[in-house]
């Protein structure tokens, strides 16, 4: 179940920003890979490294514009967090 008054911040640009947001109490960090129009904030590899470094109660949120389930599943499997059942 989602918490009340959930706030998710997207467009995290690096690990330092992710840490600053965590220190400010942000629990959901958004990462939008493979943007169809705009330049990405960071690479998939950089996003994956940040996501894997997060520890509860902070979580990564995938924001996707992909429309193929197999493509989404493949990306999620690469970004799987080693200490959680769910990838993000």
């Amino acid at each position: 179940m989602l918490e009340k008054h959930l706030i998710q911040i997207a467009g995290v640009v690096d690990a330092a920003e992710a840490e600053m947001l965590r220190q400010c109490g942000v629990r959901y960090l958004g990462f939008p890979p493979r943007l169809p129009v705009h330049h990405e904030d960071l690479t998939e590899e950089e996003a994956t490294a940040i996501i894997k470094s997060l520890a509860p109660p902070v979580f990564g949120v995938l924001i996707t514009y992909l429309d193929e389930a197999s493509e989404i599943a493949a990306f999620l499997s690469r970004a799987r967090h080693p200490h959680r059942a769910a990838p993000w």
Side-chain angles (χ1 to χ4, degrees):
M1 173 182 247
L2 293 176
E3 63 186 74
K4 285 186 175 183
H5 311 293
L6 182 140
I7 296 173
Q8 177 256 306
I9 296 181
V12 177
V13 297
D14 58 27
E17 184 177 55
E19 176 59 18
M20 181 268 305
L21 292 168
R22 186 200 63 76
Q23 289 179 14
C24 290
V26 177
R27 294 175 55 171
Y28 301 94
L29 304 179
F31 297 88
R34 302 181 189 181
L35 296 174
V37 178
H38 304 289
H39 179 68
E40 294 175 337
D41 298 310
L42 65 171
T43 67
E44 287 183 24
E45 293 78 18
E46 292 166 327
T48 296
I50 294 170
I51 291 161
K52 287 183 176 183
S53 75
L54 300 176
V58 180
F59 301 92
V61 176
L62 173 64
I63 301 164
T64 184
Y65 298 90
L66 300 174
D67 58 4
E68 293 291 327
S70 60
E71 206 175 343
I72 295 167
F75 177 70
L76 288 174
S77 70
R78 286 192 305 279
R80 183 169 302 281
H81 191 290
H83 303 296
R84 294 190 205 140
W88 291 60

